[in-house]
């Protein structure tokens, strides 16, 4: 298995943050406050432009949204 290349292009991973926030009636700004991550960084994640995410951030988002990692991140067809 070869290591991932940073400039490979789309990863095929889709972040469902928009849908989860809408279902909970929560704004990105409020999630930012509760998780302790900037709105800009959450926006990058939400728009599928993130190249990496810290486990601690992923865990905090899932804790606040009361979801599993698989609810937040899915493989795109």
């Amino acid at each position: 298995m070869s290591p991932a290349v940073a400039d490979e292009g789309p990863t095929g991973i889709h972040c469902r943050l928009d849908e989860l926030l809408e279902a909970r009636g929560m704004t990105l700004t409020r999630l930012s406050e509760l998780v302790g991550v900037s709105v800009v960084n959450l926006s990058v994640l939400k728009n599928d432009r993130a190249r990496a995410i810290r486990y601690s951030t992923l865990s905090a988002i899932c804790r606040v949204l009361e979801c599993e990692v698989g609810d937040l991140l899915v493989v795109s067809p």
Side-chain angles (χ1 to χ4, degrees):
M1 182 183 286
S2 63
V5 178
D7 294 328
E8 231 174 57
T11 62
I13 303 295
H14 170 64
C15 181
R16 296 184 60 244
L17 190 53
D18 262 348
E19 298 104 273
L20 294 172
L21 288 171
E22 185 177 334
R24 287 152 179 80
M26 186 182 294
T27 64
L28 197 62
T29 301
R30 182 63 180 143
L31 180 63
S32 170
E33 294 166 354
L34 294 171
V35 173
V37 174
S38 74
V39 173
V40 171
N41 284 340
L42 288 177
S43 181
V44 167
L45 180 63
K46 176 180 75 91
N47 292 312
D48 293 331
R49 290 181 286 134
R51 292 180 181 239
I53 183 170
R54 292 176 187 251
Y55 284 146
S56 58
T57 300
L58 188 57
S59 176
I61 291 170
C62 288
R63 185 180 66 252
V64 169
L65 295 179
E66 297 179 348
C67 69
E68 298 293 324
V69 173
D71 298 327
L72 180 63
L73 301 174
V74 296
V75 178
S76 302

